[in-house]
Amino acid sequence: MNDFATGITLTWMGISITFLALFVLILLIVTLRAVFPFKAVIADDEKQPEADSINGTVAIAAAWWYLQQKKKSTALGQVLEQPPGPWRNSSRKKHHRK
């Protein structure tokens, strides 16, 4: 057998093994979906809007703070060099005051 035939044979063997493994994986996924169907949880759906509204509020506050700081500073990265605001590490300040 010459080198060309050996290369073709190894290529077809590699492709066959790859597609066989893919077929086994797809078969496993289909079997597991049939055995364990998806169950929707109703209680989590009710809690989702509250988390979305909190996340939205935090995003708006962060964007507002960023824009305010951007208006004050002109150099790129100057805002990041500033120390954190009073909202950060508030629990530490309470312990030091006592």
Side-chain angles (χ1 to χ4, degrees):
M1 198 176 336
N2 60 10
D3 292 339
F4 183 72
T6 303
I8 295 294
T9 305
L10 287 176
T11 301
W12 279 109
M13 286 176 59
I15 290 173
S16 300
I17 291 170
T18 301
F19 279 106
L20 180 65
L22 183 62
F23 175 73
V24 169
L25 180 65
I26 291 172
L27 185 66
L28 179 67
I29 290 172
V30 169
T31 305
L32 287 175
R33 280 190 174 182
V35 173
F36 302 107
F38 178 74
K39 296 178 183 175
V41 178
I42 298 172
D44 289 343
D45 293 340
E46 296 172 358
K47 295 178 183 178
Q48 189 65 22
E50 294 175 8
D52 287 343
S53 65
I54 291 172
N55 291 340
T57 305
V58 170
I60 291 171
W64 177 80
W65 178 83
Y66 174 75
L67 290 175
Q68 292 298 322
Q69 295 299 320
K70 190 174 181 180
K71 289 179 184 177
K72 292 179 184 178
S73 64
T74 58
L76 182 65
Q78 194 175 25
V79 174
L80 298 175
E81 293 176 356
Q82 296 175 359
W87 49 269
R88 187 152 183 209
N89 297 330
S90 59
S91 61
R92 289 185 183 176
K93 290 179 183 178
K94 291 178 183 177
H95 292 296
H96 290 294
R97 290 180 186 169
K98 289 182 180 179

